[in-house]
Amino acid sequence: MAIRREDVYKLIDKVPDEKLSDLVKLIKLLAVPEEDPTEDEIRAIKEATKDYKNGETHSYSIDELRKEFLGNE
């Protein structure tokens, strides 16, 4: 079933006011066209993959992730 814009608008109307800034940030992320990764990004991905395969993982709470990726916006 295809999602219609009208359905999305209805969902947006249900988002509480205090969550609207998070919603805007998410929409902005989704609206950015995908680009090929840079050399630095490729290197970081390879390093993270190696760490993961060696059992080196890190746990983060949702609040820590929000702070890291959304900042103080």
Side-chain angles (χ1 to χ4, degrees):
M1 180 174 120
I3 296 175
R4 300 174 307 160
R5 287 183 182 271
E6 294 81 22
D7 297 330
V8 175
Y9 296 143
K10 288 177 187 175
L11 286 172
I12 290 171
D13 286 338
K14 293 181 181 182
V15 174
D17 288 345
E18 61 272 11
K19 297 286 186 176
L20 288 177
S21 63
D22 290 338
L23 178 61
V24 168
K25 291 173 195 166
L26 179 59
I27 291 171
K28 284 181 180 180
L29 286 173
L30 293 172
V32 173
E34 290 188 27
E35 300 174 357
D36 291 332
T38 64
E39 291 297 322
D40 287 340
E41 291 168 332
I42 291 170
R43 199 169 13 262
I45 291 167
K46 286 180 180 178
E47 183 179 332
T49 301
K50 181 179 134 204
D51 290 348
Y52 177 77
K53 287 180 179 178
N54 289 331
E56 299 175 34
T57 60
H58 305 280
S59 296
Y60 297 95
S61 71
I62 190 69
D63 290 332
E64 291 170 321
L65 291 172
R66 279 190 181 124
K67 184 177 180 182
E68 173 75 22
F69 292 101
L70 299 177
N72 293 338
E73 294 181 26

